[in-house]
Amino acid sequence: MQMPEPNAGILARKPRIVARLREALGEGGVIDDGIELRAYECDGLSAYRCPPLCAVLPASTEEVSAVMRICHDEGVPVVPRGSGTSLSGGALPTADAVLLGIARMNEVLETDYANRFIRVQTGRTNLSVTGAVEADGFFYAPDPSSQLACAIAGNIAMNSGGAHCLKYGVTTNNLMGVTMVMADGEVVEIGGAHLDAGGLDLLGLVCGSEGQLGVVTEATLRILARPEGARPVLIGYDSAEVAGQCVSDIIKAGILPVAIEYMDRLVIQAAEAHVHADYPDCEALLIIEVEGSEAEIADQLGRIIAIANAHNPVELRESGSAAESEKIWQGRKTAFGAMGQINDYMCLDGTIPVSQLPQVLRRIGEMGDEYGLQVGNVFHAGDGNMHPLILYDANRPGDLEKAEDLGADILRLCVEVGGCLTGEHGVGVEKREIMPAQYSGDDLEIQMQVKDVFDPKWVLNPAKVFPLDLSAGRRM
Amino acid sequence: MQMPEPNAGILARKPRIVARLREALGEGGVIDDGIELRAYECDGLSAYRCPPLCAVLPASTEEVSAVMRICHDEGVPVVPRGSGTSLSGGALPTADAVLLGIARMNEVLETDYANRFIRVQTGRTNLSVTGAVEADGFFYAPDPSSQLACAIAGNIAMNSGGAHCLKYGVTTNNLMGVTMVMADGEVVEIGGAHLDAGGLDLLGLVCGSEGQLGVVTEATLRILARPEGARPVLIGYDSAEVAGQCVSDIIKAGILPVAIEYMDRLVIQAAEAHVHADYPDCEALLIIEVEGSEAEIADQLGRIIAIANAHNPVELRESGSAAESEKIWQGRKTAFGAMGQINDYMCLDGTIPVSQLPQVLRRIGEMGDEYGLQVGNVFHAGDGNMHPLILYDANRPGDLEKAEDLGADILRLCVEVGGCLTGEHGVGVEKREIMPAQYSGDDLEIQMQVKDVFDPKWVLNPAKVFPLDLSAGRRM
């Protein structure tokens, strides 16, 4: 993975640029010290690192606007950053870019239960949005694994999902409006605490646009009433194909659990070693959770268990208490961390039609064998959002590149079977060069022309999303 | 409401244009006879009429592509039309435009229960999508009042909702992918039977774009399992404000019924005269429906009835049978027709934050009095989607214009209280000139630039959505 050469002219103008930013934000709002900048040199895709020209930490929409006006005027790229948990390198800086960190802007601006929304500054973390309303019985539905750390800004940029999005939808289904600072510093409102709006759906366009169209500083989010109860069931199978078939049959029966999570043997063993979740030793583990009143839970779980039993599970365990539920989920929620304990890994994020699960899982295993790399699978099976984890050794020369090649092959497979390159992590730098597997040159040209409309100078988060050779003529 | 002068050059070239279209579609695919064209001179906004240059009825995506290639080449505007039920004049032709009717393309292309989708040609009517899957226990959720007649093509163009969208979302929440013919005839696929996708969310942008970006010929739609049961409760109040407060309190309590419908006295009386639904004689009637298992229905209705009773209803009647449920709904479902029996009316479509219902209803009444026009209200209260019906006399000179002015004032009021100009009917020609009440000149310029990207020659559905003076330099 390569990044473009930094612009020497910008590097030369650093003192002036920093001085202008300091004038706008004050001393504490701008970081240009080499050591301190190390905190911003990478995001969750930590295989790639590059300190930015400088970092700014605005405290208000007005300050974000001031930063954008200066950078637009100076012709300096801006890389927006939420909490820096992106797994696709969406917040990876370039050496000639100003990194715009939104984390200081984390206030709740308004809660309105009658209209079921909360308005927050987008530096607020995902979990603390729910935290602000849970005492009143409400919650914010999208729940990325990183929800303790990740910011709403990044959730909007990547259209983030999570384990419970099978029922509640992803960010775009729960976002009602934004305040956005345009590339030239203009502040606009898109959407709001109402249904739909006339004209083109620019809110839908902005959600998932990976910081290419503007910097979202405030968001109006749909909140939901917390269900009365929830209960998971844990089901183990001795083959990936049978587990995939079970998921497919549940969906086909029209049942919509709140989550259907899948873990394969490699991940089960890692999670087990990490938190002793008491998982069975098997090829494939499903965690299926349903929500609602006690009657509804019993009814739905009854139908799910009947389908699961028809496929002869090696284990089927319905949670009998809150403590058991927490234990069942703990292994899943810490699975990524557990895998990180045993190896370096690259986490992919493709989606496929649910019915393709069995054959795609088999094919991923075969492809791993061909490359001589182990691949673990832990993902949101209910909506076909795969997260293959490719294990590699960062200290062995060539291993990262081999893992990248295998990753690209797996994502191409997702597209071939009718899926797509990313479900919730975004394209970032990680999948930038394989976008042509899904989109023709004309498709990508149209997308870049839409970016032209919002950001004619390509100031915002350049060298991401679009293949470098295609965007070369547009980037500064 | 004015439309631009037709292009004389196009009118002069009509014989050649018709001949080229006949060559591509065959004799039966092109209508240019003056009498036959009357069938296409208006849509559901029947106050405005204009026969098109000619009408084409393609039978396949390839034929749609051929039509667009010819029209793009000839520089002729194209007005796409589903079933012609638009209430905002979205399918209103101009005299120099080719009307492209998609109604012949109504096949089911694929049903896939394991992946919970159906793929259809977009000329298929909304209700017949559910018809294709209901024997297997599934349904398609968005349910516009016109669902017996309206086409999926129009549902996508207007991002249509319906009474049951409070729980299930509107079209954009149930649309997974489209096949779209671009302005120059190129055929593209956007989205598909998978979650999300990399790059910009062009599917979100296309949904609700009112035929401005392309002609959608095939759609992949999310289908859901039919709930076990459903039951409405009918609640009458002697004041609009109290009814609005009741709705607000239900939403605030976190209850999410599948529908909360509102009718005022004028509409209640018209519906009662029309179908004898046995509605009480009161100021405001709510129909609230919940779905699920019997236990879930009982639980939710219990909580709703407790809240409703706290506001002292003049009547509260829980349905006791399928026949009673049908009777309760029949009055609501035929309310628009019933109003049409007693008067000409103009149906508005603004949305507001739910908590603003009481004051907006009061203000609408006052504004009607000021204009000397009666206004009926029947709408989706749960999501704040208002449908004021302004009664006027089409045969009294000046009455239509007065109704239009009152309508514009009411929609401006919706924007003022934090809502927007349209919930599900679209902008079309009806709200074109009041878009500046919601959007600044810069906002509209950005939206038009996005159209430029998809349709540089502005061939598609011109003179709609954007104020005529703003789009003048772009239209042919």
Side-chain angles (χ1 to χ4, degrees):
Chain A
M1 205 280 307
Q2 63 166 118
M3 291 298 279
E5 281 298 306
N7 180 312
I10 295 174
L11 300 183
R13 278 182 289 127
K14 175 172 175 176
R16 186 178 79 193
I17 294 164
V18 168
R20 288 189 68 181
L21 291 168
R22 281 235 162 83
E23 194 180 336
L25 303 191
E27 195 61 35
V30 183
I31 297 169
D32 72 333
D33 175 77
I35 301 295
E36 288 181 64
L37 283 179
R38 296 287 290 274
Y40 301 98
E41 70 180 9
C42 73
D43 56 19
L45 187 71
S46 57
Y48 309 109
R49 290 162 196 270
C50 173
L53 186 73
C54 67
V56 293
L57 305 173
S60 66
T61 298
E62 293 66 37
E63 289 195 358
V64 173
S65 171
V67 169
M68 292 311 304
R69 268 199 312 274
I70 293 167
C71 292
H72 191 259
D73 179 44
E74 293 276 356
V76 182
V78 175
V79 175
R81 174 189 169 108
S83 299
T85 57
S86 170
L87 291 168
S88 63
L92 178 69
T94 52
D96 56 6
V98 171
L99 186 126
L100 191 162
I102 202 99
R104 279 170 70 183
M105 294 175 58
N106 61 4
E107 294 294 314
V108 172
L109 302 171
E110 190 180 0
T111 53
D112 185 332
Y113 297 118
N115 295 308
R116 282 201 301 123
F117 72 81
I118 183 170
R119 197 158 59 84
V120 299
Q121 290 182 313
T122 57
R124 195 169 183 87
T125 62
N126 175 293
L127 197 60
S128 69
V129 172
T130 289
V133 295
E134 67 186 346
D136 296 305
F138 285 80
F139 74 111
Y140 175 61
D143 61 338
S145 295
S146 58
Q147 66 181 143
L148 193 64
C150 65
I152 294 297
N155 290 182
I156 293 170
M158 297 313 190
N159 188 18
S160 300
H164 291 73
C165 286
L166 177 56
K167 181 167 180 181
Y168 296 114
V170 295
T171 301
T172 195
N173 307 116
N174 295 275
L175 178 68
M176 302 172 74
V178 297
T179 299
M180 185 167 87
V181 179
M182 304 288 285
D184 63 0
E186 188 191 359
V187 179
V188 299
E189 301 282 334
I190 306 179
H194 51 65
L195 189 73
D196 204 13
L200 297 179
D201 182 11
L202 299 186
L203 182 64
L205 183 67
V206 163
C207 191
S209 62
E210 306 201 11
Q212 294 291 315
L213 307 183
V215 180
V216 174
T217 58
E218 297 177 12
T220 303
L221 306 171
R222 174 65 76 203
I223 49 176
L224 299 170
R226 186 168 291 283
E228 278 177 63
R231 195 180 310 148
V233 56
L234 183 153
I235 310 165
Y237 287 106
D238 55 13
S239 111
E241 259 174 288
V242 173
Q245 197 55 53
C246 175
V247 172
S248 194
D249 286 354
I250 289 168
I251 299 292
K252 196 168 171 174
I255 307 168
L256 199 59
V258 70
I260 304 183
E261 294 292 300
Y262 181 109
M263 299 164 76
D264 72 5
R265 183 186 288 274
L266 197 60
V267 179
I268 296 167
Q269 288 174 345
E272 196 52 30
H274 194 55
V275 296
H276 309 291
D278 210 8
Y279 288 163
D281 185 28
C282 58
E283 280 304 316
L285 191 65
L286 299 176
I287 299 174
I288 304 182
E289 182 157 282
V290 300
E291 277 184 1
S293 63
E294 186 49 41
E296 201 185 354
I297 289 174
D299 171 68
Q300 284 193 69
L301 271 190
R303 292 162 65 202
I304 289 167
I305 289 171
I307 293 170
N309 276 330
H311 291 285
N312 301 311
V314 297
E315 175 146 356
L316 190 153
R317 193 194 315 157
E318 184 179 334
S319 166
S321 67
E324 272 188 64
S325 298
E326 198 181 324
K327 199 167 179 185
I328 287 176
W329 273 112
Q330 201 185 7
R332 166 62 185 89
K333 289 194 170 163
T334 59
F336 284 54
M339 290 294 285
Q341 299 277 315
I342 56 170
N343 240 123
D344 300 309
Y345 69 81
M346 169 175 293
C347 174
L348 305 181
D349 168 52
T351 75
I352 58 169
V354 177
S355 62
Q356 300 286 338
L357 273 177
Q359 69 163 94
V360 169
L361 286 169
R362 189 183 61 237
R363 192 72 195 100
I364 288 176
E366 292 165 1
M367 289 161 79
D369 291 345
E370 288 161 21
Y371 274 89
L373 292 171
Q374 277 197 299
V375 184
N377 284 288
V378 48
F379 59 94
H380 315 314
D383 45 20
N385 189 182
M386 315 271 301
H387 289 313
L389 302 176
I390 302 176
L391 304 189
Y392 70 99
D393 182 347
N395 295 317
R396 190 190 306 153
D399 230 33
L400 171 61
E401 290 71 22
K402 204 158 72 167
E404 287 180 339
D405 290 345
L406 170 57
D409 281 353
I410 291 175
L411 292 179
R412 283 189 201 101
L413 171 67
C414 291
V415 174
E416 271 163 36
V417 301
C420 60
L421 292 174
T422 169
E424 55 191 5
H425 296 175
V427 177
V429 296
E430 184 204 15
K431 308 178 195 80
R432 188 186 65 195
E433 301 303 331
I434 57 168
M435 284 284 274
Q438 180 148 28
Y439 297 107
S440 73
D442 283 355
D443 293 340
L444 291 166
E445 174 62 25
I446 287 272
Q447 296 198 26
M448 290 190 292
Q449 287 182 17
V450 172
K451 176 171 169 66
D452 292 341
V453 170
F454 286 78
D455 179 16
K457 291 173 77 172
W458 280 56
V459 171
L460 282 162
N461 220 5
K464 310 263 169 81
V465 183
F466 305 107
L468 279 192
D469 60 339
L470 293 185
S471 66
R474 287 176 156 97
R475 280 180 285 112
M476 293 183 293
Chain B
M1 204 282 304
Q2 64 166 116
M3 290 299 277
E5 281 298 306
N7 180 311
I10 294 174
L11 301 182
R13 279 183 288 128
K14 176 172 175 177
R16 186 177 81 194
I17 294 163
V18 169
R20 287 189 68 181
L21 291 168
R22 283 233 161 82
E23 196 182 333
L25 303 192
E27 195 60 37
V30 183
I31 296 168
D32 72 334
D33 175 78
I35 302 295
E36 287 180 65
L37 283 180
R38 297 286 292 274
Y40 301 99
E41 70 181 10
C42 74
D43 57 19
L45 187 71
S46 56
Y48 309 109
R49 290 163 196 268
C50 174
L53 187 74
C54 67
V56 292
L57 304 174
S60 66
T61 297
E62 293 67 36
E63 288 194 358
V64 173
S65 171
V67 168
M68 293 310 305
R69 269 199 310 276
I70 292 167
C71 292
H72 192 259
D73 180 43
E74 294 276 356
V76 183
V78 175
V79 175
R81 175 188 168 108
S83 299
T85 57
S86 170
L87 291 167
S88 64
L92 178 68
T94 51
D96 56 5
V98 171
L99 185 126
L100 191 161
I102 203 99
R104 279 169 71 183
M105 293 176 57
N106 62 4
E107 295 293 316
V108 172
L109 302 171
E110 189 179 0
T111 53
D112 185 332
Y113 297 118
N115 295 309
R116 284 200 299 124
F117 72 81
I118 183 170
R119 197 160 58 84
V120 300
Q121 290 182 313
T122 57
R124 194 168 185 89
T125 61
N126 175 291
L127 197 59
S128 69
V129 171
T130 289
V133 296
E134 68 186 344
D136 296 307
F138 284 80
F139 75 111
Y140 174 62
D143 60 340
S145 294
S146 58
Q147 67 180 144
L148 194 65
C150 66
I152 294 297
N155 291 182
I156 294 170
M158 297 312 190
N159 188 20
S160 302
H164 290 74
C165 287
L166 178 57
K167 181 166 180 180
Y168 296 115
V170 293
T171 301
T172 196
N173 307 115
N174 294 274
L175 178 67
M176 303 172 72
V178 296
T179 299
M180 185 167 88
V181 179
M182 303 289 284
D184 63 0
E186 189 191 358
V187 179
V188 299
E189 303 281 335
I190 305 178
H194 51 68
L195 189 74
D196 204 13
L200 299 178
D201 182 11
L202 298 186
L203 183 64
L205 184 66
V206 163
C207 192
S209 63
E210 306 203 10
Q212 294 291 316
L213 306 183
V215 180
V216 174
T217 58
E218 296 176 13
T220 303
L221 305 171
R222 174 65 76 204
I223 49 177
L224 299 169
R226 186 168 290 284
E228 278 176 64
R231 194 181 312 149
V233 57
L234 182 154
I235 310 165
Y237 287 105
D238 55 14
S239 112
E241 259 175 290
V242 173
Q245 198 52 54
C246 175
V247 171
S248 193
D249 286 353
I250 289 168
I251 298 293
K252 197 166 171 174
I255 308 169
L256 200 59
V258 69
I260 304 183
E261 295 292 300
Y262 181 108
M263 300 163 75
D264 72 6
R265 185 187 287 275
L266 197 61
V267 179
I268 296 167
Q269 288 174 344
E272 195 53 30
H274 194 54
V275 297
H276 309 291
D278 209 9
Y279 287 162
D281 186 26
C282 59
E283 280 306 314
L285 191 66
L286 299 176
I287 300 174
I288 304 182
E289 182 157 281
V290 300
E291 277 184 0
S293 64
E294 186 50 41
E296 200 184 353
I297 289 174
D299 171 66
Q300 284 195 67
L301 272 189
R303 292 163 64 202
I304 289 167
I305 288 170
I307 292 171
N309 276 330
H311 292 285
N312 300 313
V314 297
E315 175 146 354
L316 191 153
R317 193 194 314 157
E318 184 178 336
S319 168
S321 67
E324 272 187 64
S325 297
E326 197 180 323
K327 199 168 178 184
I328 287 174
W329 272 112
Q330 200 184 9
R332 167 63 185 90
K333 287 195 172 165
T334 59
F336 284 55
M339 291 294 285
Q341 299 276 315
I342 57 170
N343 240 123
D344 300 308
Y345 70 81
M346 169 173 296
C347 174
L348 305 182
D349 168 52
T351 75
I352 59 169
V354 177
S355 63
Q356 300 285 339
L357 273 178
Q359 70 163 94
V360 169
L361 286 169
R362 189 183 60 237
R363 191 73 195 100
I364 287 176
E366 293 165 1
M367 290 162 79
D369 291 345
E370 288 160 22
Y371 274 88
L373 291 172
Q374 277 196 298
V375 184
N377 284 288
V378 48
F379 58 93
H380 315 312
D383 45 21
N385 188 183
M386 316 270 302
H387 290 313
L389 303 176
I390 303 176
L391 304 189
Y392 70 98
D393 182 346
N395 295 317
R396 191 190 305 153
D399 230 34
L400 171 62
E401 290 69 23
K402 203 158 72 168
E404 286 180 340
D405 290 345
L406 171 56
D409 280 353
I410 291 175
L411 293 179
R412 282 189 201 100
L413 170 67
C414 290
V415 174
E416 271 163 35
V417 301
C420 61
L421 293 173
T422 169
E424 55 190 7
H425 296 174
V427 178
V429 296
E430 184 204 15
K431 307 177 195 82
R432 188 186 64 196
E433 300 303 331
I434 57 169
M435 285 285 273
Q438 179 146 34
Y439 297 107
S440 73
D442 282 355
D443 293 340
L444 291 166
E445 174 61 25
I446 287 272
Q447 295 198 26
M448 291 191 292
Q449 285 182 19
V450 172
K451 175 170 168 69
D452 292 342
V453 171
F454 285 78
D455 179 16
K457 292 172 76 171
W458 280 56
V459 171
L460 282 163
N461 220 7
K464 310 264 169 80
V465 182
F466 305 107
L468 279 191
D469 61 337
L470 292 185
S471 65
R474 288 174 155 98
R475 280 180 286 112
M476 292 186 293

